[in-house]
Amino acid sequence: MTGLRERLRLIAKRRDLKTVIAYSFDFRTRILPFIYADLRMAPAGVRAIGSALADAGFPKTRIVLQQWNPNFRPSGMRLDGGLPDLFLISSLQLHSAECMKLIRDACRIEPARRPLVVVGGPKTIYEPWAVFPVDPADPAAPDLAVTGEEFVFLSLLEVLLSNWGTNETLRSAFLRARDEGLLDSVPGLVYRAGEELVDTGIQRLLGNLDELPHPAHGFRLLEAPSRGPTLAGRALPADRVFEHSPIGALVMTFGCKFSCKYCPIPAYNQRQHRLKSGARIEDEMVRVRDEFGIRHFFGADDNFFNNRERTLDIIRTLGAGPVQKPHPRGRIRWGTEATVHDTVAMREHLREVRRAGVRALWIGVEDMTATLVKKGQSVDNTTEAFRLLREHGIMPMPMMMHHDSQPLWTPGKPYGLLNQVHRLRQAGAATLQVTMLSPATGSKLYEETFTSGLAYESAGGRKVEHYMLDSNYVIASRHPKPWLKQLNIMLAYLFFYNPVRLLISLFRSKTSLWLADGFLQVVGMWAVARTICRTFGWMMRLMRGRIVRTSRVPGSRVPMRSPNGGPAGHALPGGVALRWKEPAGAAR
Ligand code: B12
Ligand code: SF4
């Protein structure tokens, strides 16, 4: 990675490159559990790609967040007086509809002037084929889908820039590189070649995250929030970044040692635990605070306590250095994710964890009785983990997963959803996440959810759309009355966020952070109202309408292959992608 960054800097001395990066955002996803953070935290993925470009010597880069610029239209974008050379889109699966709208609009630019259009992020990492449509009436498609991280993107850039002639667009250099097979040496790309999709393979992952470009670059590239369709003359000034993104998402570690069947994280990380050093994280926090005024951070960790020695290196460095020294902008505070099991295992070190600035931990409790999933949690050790955190002034934020066999209430037993929510609140939970077990792309359970006929295609005539794939909607269930599951989720939230609890949090709080607890109750009540308004209609359809199931595993409808004609790494068994082998082989 370090060598690649240096080589690109040499190219940058000879070549200018203008890039616009858009983050797609579907406003229909604005419901619990993350209704505040979704708008008030500039996402790390687009910032990381922007940082990589700026670090490589291409500062003419702008990051547009659809959540801040809902009317942004790529066809009208101008940067430094002209169309950009490169238009990048980042999307989560649930924002796919908006991602496709951006692609369609970018394709309205006449081909001879069109920027190279590339899509990446968690949508294409798992389903790169999905952005290449099959409908001849709607042919708009990106030039390329990326199924990897910065390393893949910069490797691609190196190939393209090394082959970019002076009198041509970057897109035409891409088309030539593609046809000459130059892209095939970069694993992590999917492009169209005639009637097929070519998948260059599974990405090579960067292990030492200290080699990543510094995230501070990305914060300088943000487009200021606006209602307009075009871009402003300059990016959001550094001293106004905090106003719009008071929380900074930072990459610290990636990976988790558990292997829950419904979770894509261990496989995505190729079973590796990847991380930055304590010194590097300290430098990032301090620099982002000093340059942009952001002193609250959220670690993009999958399980921060995954490895005790590595965690201790990070927290001891942060606890001893400038991060915790008084500062005119305030001390640095941060939160992240961990498991119950590892929190209990870290019990002797929680004082150090707090000293490092941690004030909130999102904990994947799922089901306290471990009926749904076993990852070292039980009623007793979950309560113990929460007690320990509370005692150390760290807010525990449980993430629960409701499932078909869990009742709403079980008298005298801790199995029911409300019984568990009650216990968690008593144990000091400050927020609550309750989602329904749903198919997650990239997880072991994904295909089975479809092949077993569990997944819904529609209910009451309404199709399951992408924005509903956030586990807040019941879209896969064997329960005879699935509407009850949807209702249970609403009741659990109402049980947790309500005026009575607000009063209790202010006058008899279980946590030392009672003001934060009260604030979270207020935001939570507003968010519950919004969540109920959004999901009530779906519940009624589940109750009154006909439920149509689907057993078709989503897969590429365009034949997909590796560069040498073998099976494609990103194809799903069962989809046309893998069945490609015979029919497409015959057609070639
Ligand atoms: C922090 C986080 C959040 C924060 C996001 C806040 C913010 N605005 O940043 C909050 C808490 C709000 C959140 C909410 C949700 N999240 Co979330 N979240 C994460 C988490 C833990 C870290 C994200 C992150 O910052 N990663 C670090 C960055 C650097 O990685 P990245 O975004 O993947 O980007 C890299 C690559 O993808 C690639 N890339 C990205 N874009 C592009 C574009 C191009 C052109 C290229 C070439 C490359 C590229 O390069 C980047 C650098 O390496 C991830 C898991 C994870 N470890 O990544 C889940 C994750 C993104 N979340 C997920 C989900 C499902 C949700 C929710 C639906 C949960 C829920 N039930 O409500 C909501 C959705 C809310 C909404 N309306 O959007 C899923 C998405 C699954 C999918 N396939 O789309 C993830 C991947 C977790 C998982 N594995 O299941 N989340
Ligand atoms: S513990 Fe959490 S991050 Fe780890 S595999 Fe299970 S669900 Fe995924």
Side-chain angles (χ1 to χ4, degrees):
M1 181 64 149
T2 309
L4 179 57
R5 285 163 62 195
E6 278 163 10
R7 290 199 299 278
L8 280 164
R9 279 187 209 129
L10 292 178
I11 299 178
K13 287 189 180 148
R14 311 190 299 267
R15 215 58 231 232
D16 206 14
L17 178 76
K18 290 190 282 184
T19 309
V20 172
I21 314 172
Y23 180 85
S24 61
F25 189 88
D26 191 325
F27 275 81
R28 291 174 293 182
T29 63
R30 293 219 63 218
I31 54 179
L32 273 169
F34 296 120
I35 213 156
Y36 176 84
D38 55 358
L39 297 195
R40 309 283 284 165
M41 193 153 102
V46 271
R47 284 194 289 102
I49 296 297
S51 292
L53 279 162
D55 167 88
F58 304 110
K60 288 184 187 166
T61 302
R62 189 69 57 81
I63 300 172
V64 193
L65 308 177
Q66 258 195 327
Q67 56 272 51
W68 293 1
N69 302 275
N71 301 321
F72 168 67
R73 296 283 167 271
S75 54
M77 67 188 163
R78 296 290 180 276
L79 194 65
D80 198 30
L83 276 168
D85 306 298
L86 188 55
F87 177 53
L88 305 175
I89 307 171
S90 174
S91 186
L92 297 193
Q93 185 190 33
L94 74 161
H95 300 306
S96 295
E98 290 302 317
C99 170
M100 292 312 293
K101 279 189 202 161
L102 289 171
I103 295 171
R104 268 183 222 115
D105 194 67
C107 289
R108 287 175 53 210
I109 304 171
E110 56 171 302
R113 296 170 60 233
R114 192 182 299 162
L116 176 66
V117 181
V118 181
V119 185
K123 169 69 181 173
T124 54
I125 282 175
Y126 298 108
E127 303 178 316
W129 36 265
V131 292
F132 296 94
V134 280
D135 181 1
D138 181 17
D143 296 302
L144 192 65
V146 173
T147 59
E149 301 176 350
E150 293 96 326
F151 183 73
V152 178
F153 172 66
L154 292 181
S155 305
L156 163 73
L157 206 60
E158 186 180 29
V159 173
L160 295 178
L161 296 181
S162 309
N163 289 280
W164 190 11
T166 33
N167 290 322
E168 63 173 350
T169 60
L170 187 65
R171 186 163 177 269
S172 93
F174 157 79
L175 295 174
R176 205 177 45 252
R178 181 196 69 181
D179 296 343
E180 289 173 7
L182 300 179
L183 302 178
D184 300 345
S185 58
V186 180
L189 309 176
V190 173
Y191 60 83
R192 198 167 216 153
E195 296 303 306
E196 299 173 323
L197 289 178
V198 176
D199 177 356
T200 64
I202 306 292
Q203 67 167 322
R204 292 173 63 201
L205 283 180
L206 179 71
N208 176 6
L209 303 183
D210 281 1
E211 287 190 42
L212 285 172
H214 203 289
H217 299 297
F219 280 111
R220 292 197 179 274
L221 307 173
L222 295 167
E223 174 73 9
S226 98
R227 296 259 141 209
T230 53
L231 301 176
R234 63 184 194 121
L236 181 66
D239 59 0
R240 287 190 51 216
V241 169
F242 169 79
E243 205 181 295
H244 302 288
S245 181
I247 312 170
L250 282 190
V251 167
M252 304 202 284
T253 70
F254 280 131
C256 174
K257 60 179 176 258
F258 293 98
S259 49
C260 307
K261 281 186 172 177
Y262 55 83
C263 175
I265 286 166
Y268 170 81
N269 285 289
Q270 301 173 13
R271 308 267 156 203
Q272 303 297 310
H273 185 227
R274 308 181 288 146
L275 70 164
K276 288 179 182 164
S277 62
R280 169 65 187 246
I281 295 170
E282 177 185 83
D283 176 64
E284 292 188 0
M285 287 182 170
V286 171
R287 189 166 155 194
V288 171
R289 179 194 58 193
D290 295 351
E291 291 182 21
F292 307 98
I294 298 173
R295 67 178 187 94
H296 288 119
F297 295 96
F298 184 75
D301 306 284
D302 302 312
N303 178 9
F304 181 65
F305 293 157
N306 194 53
N307 177 302
R308 181 205 290 247
E309 275 62 49
R310 292 169 165 204
T311 310
L312 288 177
D313 166 61
I314 296 174
I315 57 166
R316 285 183 178 153
T317 310
L318 294 182
V323 163
Q324 291 322 313
K325 299 268 162 15
H327 188 274
R329 290 190 149 148
R331 283 198 173 94
I332 287 169
R333 301 284 179 247
W334 55 285
T336 186
E337 292 188 26
T339 57
V340 168
H341 174 270
D342 294 315
T343 304
V344 176
M346 285 287 290
R347 61 190 313 150
E348 307 117 62
H349 304 289
L350 290 177
R351 194 181 298 273
E352 293 174 272
V353 173
R354 180 173 157 103
R355 201 178 304 133
V358 177
R359 289 294 179 275
L361 265 190
W362 276 260
I363 310 242
V365 172
E366 326 304 2
D367 170 1
M368 285 169 97
T369 57
T371 311
L372 173 69
V373 53
K374 293 181 182 52
K375 49 181 184 180
Q377 86 280 35
S378 66
V379 176
D380 288 343
N381 73 355
T382 305
T383 319
E384 175 68 353
F386 277 46
R387 185 188 63 75
L388 288 166
L389 289 173
R390 223 179 56 213
E391 272 176 20
H392 289 89
I394 300 172
M395 290 191 292
M397 320 290 237
M399 302 188 287
M400 317 271 302
M401 207 178 264
H402 189 36
H403 51 98
D404 278 353
S405 51
Q406 186 179 37
L408 181 65
W409 177 258
T410 46
K413 289 193 198 131
Y415 187 42
L417 179 60
L418 292 189
N419 305 66
Q420 298 199 6
V421 173
H422 179 65
R423 279 181 186 241
L424 291 171
R425 180 66 190 167
Q426 292 304 305
T431 59
L432 178 73
Q433 166 175 334
V434 183
T435 50
M436 181 73 190
L437 178 62
S438 307
T441 46
S443 65
K444 272 191 207 152
L445 277 186
Y446 187 63
E447 286 152 51
E448 196 188 309
T449 319
F450 290 91
T451 50
S452 65
L454 200 69
Y456 299 167
E457 184 164 310
S458 65
R462 188 167 139 200
K463 266 181 91 72
V464 173
E465 290 185 55
H466 280 108
Y467 77 91
M468 298 163 74
L469 304 181
D470 59 0
S471 307
N472 291 313
Y473 294 83
V474 177
I475 54 154
S477 167
R478 271 205 192 87
H479 199 278
K481 291 180 180 166
W483 62 271
L484 277 177
K485 297 281 117 190
Q486 194 72 59
L487 180 66
N488 289 353
I489 295 176
M490 295 179 200
L491 292 175
Y493 278 134
L494 275 173
F495 185 69
F496 191 89
Y497 295 112
N498 57 61
V500 178
R501 284 210 201 279
L502 170 64
L503 290 175
I504 296 174
S505 70
L506 292 178
F507 298 105
R508 282 178 46 206
S509 177
K510 288 261 174 201
T511 110
S512 56
L513 301 156
W514 58 273
L515 203 57
D517 199 20
F519 170 74
L520 291 170
Q521 278 293 323
V522 174
V523 177
M525 282 190 285
W526 168 71
V528 173
R530 209 182 152 108
T531 305
I532 293 177
C533 289
R534 283 236 178 258
T535 53
F536 192 81
W538 183 248
M539 184 189 78
M540 295 308 288
R541 283 173 195 267
L542 291 174
M543 189 195 299
R544 301 239 174 101
R546 192 168 80 90
I547 293 174
V548 180
R549 293 174 187 270
T550 175
S551 56
R552 192 176 68 83
V553 184
S556 178
R557 285 157 69 194
V558 182
M560 199 168 165
R561 63 170 171 88
S562 72
N564 61 15
H570 290 87
L572 277 175
V576 176
L578 264 200
R579 273 192 268 124
W580 162 82
K581 251 185 141 181
E582 279 144 339
R588 267 156 57 82

